[in-house]
Amino acid sequence: MSNLKNFLFTSESVSEGHPDKVSDRISDMVVDTYLSEDPFSRVACETLTTTNKVVLAGEVRGPEIKKEKIIQKVRDCIKDIGYDQEGFTWREATKIESHLHLQSTDIAMGVDSSGNKDEGAGDQGIMFGYACNETEELMPAPIHYSHKILRLMAADRKLGKLKNIEPDSKSQVTFEYIDGKPTRVKSVVISSQHSSEVDQAKVRELLKPYMLKSIPENFLKDFDEKDFYVNPTGNFVIGGPDGDCGLTGRKIIVDTYGGAAPHGGGAFSGKDPTKVDRSAAYAARYIAKNVVASNIADKCLIQLAYAIGVSKPLSIYVDLFDNDLEKNKFISEKIMQNFDLSPRGIREMLVLNKPIYEKTSAYGHFGRIPEDNGAFSWEKIDKKSIFSK
């Protein structure tokens, strides 16, 4: 986030029906399917979605799961999202291909533990975690409220309360920051696929309540109606994978902090928790969130770096954005003393070898509520006492 005190900042979200998110959902379903049968399965699955076609490709190591079972689960995902349209449907009109194959033995050799060698990282790379006190969830306000708009829309659409609105939607919220704090909403954009039975005036009428329900009143003071944009192109009937090809991993900023913090570049969906692209990003968020929850800093950025086949991170970087070198050193020391950031250590700390990933594929991996089954365990603030000075 900018070092300026007064500025505008915008983040976007996309719904579970966005073509890239349909692909993310299917890839994470594959991860969950393998982990549910063997918690130590290895999966790297990419999905392409387009007009009446879904293609899966990637590497797996684990139990033998029949192609027909995976294909049926793909149809279940599409049906749950809500697609039954001429150009994309859960029915037989959509052709589904699976090209999953066995994981490379070279990768397996570098990653597996053996003898005195601990399990190594599944790839090289850098991962970031971030937290700030702009919302109760310790997330940046623009991305948090962008997600909330679409989440409420999808819930009502599936319950039948929001009619003539189809699954493919996007939102965008711009905040005005004064003295570095989000003060008011400057503009809101919602673009949503809709049936041909409604015009744009009706779409605006249907969607405006979701903006008002999602964003607290104090942020909407002096909000100008002309700064609420709905379907700016004028029509959005053809959408989803029929309107635009979808691919796994193309919404990494939507998945994280909406651009308010750096991103290492690696996507999460379709990867089992031995892949540090996913697990180390979760661990970095877990640490950053507990730092901010301890009230020692208003915001915190963590960077972790890994090399393939090497278990410990090559570097740990901490930024508290307050130029307090003593405090920064204190936090860095506490992290090294209290957190095992090897791939195995992260998985055990956050209990990641569970089929908990399909629900992460839309509305952000962060800022969510930890669940009893272990989903979103990285959102707990059970380590904040470590950082209380």
Side-chain angles (χ1 to χ4, degrees), residues 108-387:
M109 179 175 64
V111 172
D112 290 348
S113 57
S114 60
N116 293 324
K117 174 184 173 294
D118 196 8
E119 175 187 310
D123 202 354
Q124 73 173 47
I126 56 174
M127 297 83 209
F128 288 94
Y130 181 71
C132 62
N133 59 9
E134 294 179 12
T135 61
E136 286 183 14
E137 294 77 10
L138 303 185
M139 286 289 287
I143 188 67
H144 175 72
Y145 295 113
S146 294
H147 284 323
K148 191 172 181 181
I149 290 168
L150 298 183
R151 212 166 54 237
L152 294 180
M153 284 170 53
D156 279 1
R157 175 177 58 80
K158 291 181 175 183
L159 290 171
K161 293 180 180 178
L162 180 58
K163 300 185 186 302
N164 291 307
I165 296 298
E166 301 292 344
D168 188 1
S169 303
K170 300 174 81 169
S171 64
Q172 189 169 284
V173 178
T174 299
F175 266 85
E176 181 178 8
Y177 282 71
I178 296 176
D179 290 332
K181 298 292 184 183
T183 303
R184 71 184 188 97
V185 168
K186 187 72 172 63
S187 64
V188 177
V189 183
I190 306 177
S191 295
S192 185
Q193 186 187 15
H194 56 87
S195 76
S196 57
E197 297 171 20
V198 290
D199 61 16
Q200 295 310 307
K202 182 62 176 176
V203 173
R204 184 184 183 90
E205 180 188 320
L206 288 170
L207 299 186
K208 185 177 177 182
Y210 293 93
M211 175 190 73
L212 298 176
K213 272 193 281 189
S214 301
I215 301 172
E217 281 184 35
N218 62 299
F219 287 135
L220 290 173
K221 61 181 181 291
D222 304 323
F223 184 74
D224 193 327
E225 186 74 19
K226 71 177 176 56
D227 292 322
F228 178 45
Y229 301 89
V230 176
N231 285 2
T233 59
N235 206 45
F236 192 176
V237 173
I238 299 170
D242 186 29
D244 191 10
C245 175
L247 290 170
T248 302
R250 283 206 302 199
K251 288 292 177 281
I252 57 177
I253 299 302
V254 171
D255 284 343
T256 53
Y257 309 102
H263 195 295
F268 301 158
S269 290
K271 297 174 182 176
D272 73 76
T274 67
K275 276 70 171 178
V276 284
D277 273 344
R278 179 167 224 158
S279 58
Y282 290 171
R285 161 66 178 174
Y286 180 55
I287 295 168
K289 187 173 183 183
N290 276 273
V291 168
V292 175
S294 75
N295 294 319
I296 197 170
D298 290 339
K299 51 186 177 178
C300 175
L301 177 71
I302 307 283
Q303 185 207 57
L304 304 174
Y306 291 86
I308 189 166
V310 179
S311 64
K312 297 294 182 183
L314 305 184
S315 67
I316 302 172
Y317 167 81
V318 179
D319 188 355
L320 303 177
F321 302 91
D322 59 6
N323 297 316
D324 187 329
L325 298 182
E326 184 185 340
K327 192 201 296 183
N328 214 82
K329 183 182 177 185
F330 169 80
I331 294 293
S332 299
E333 288 173 351
K334 289 294 183 183
I335 291 170
M336 288 191 265
Q337 291 165 7
N338 291 279
F339 296 89
D340 180 353
L341 294 173
S342 67
R344 184 202 302 275
I346 292 170
R347 285 204 324 281
E348 292 177 353
M349 172 175 67
L350 298 176
V351 197
L352 295 179
N353 284 98
K354 291 183 173 184
I356 55 174
Y357 298 104
E358 194 174 333
K359 63 184 65 179
T360 68
S361 62
Y363 314 117
H365 293 245
F366 308 126
R368 308 288 288 272
I369 298 170
E371 298 182 5
D372 292 340
N373 68 351
F376 305 106
S377 59
W378 49 93
E379 290 298 308
K380 293 180 179 176
I381 50 172
D382 54 350
K383 302 289 188 185
K384 62 182 180 180
S385 62
I386 290 171
F387 303 106

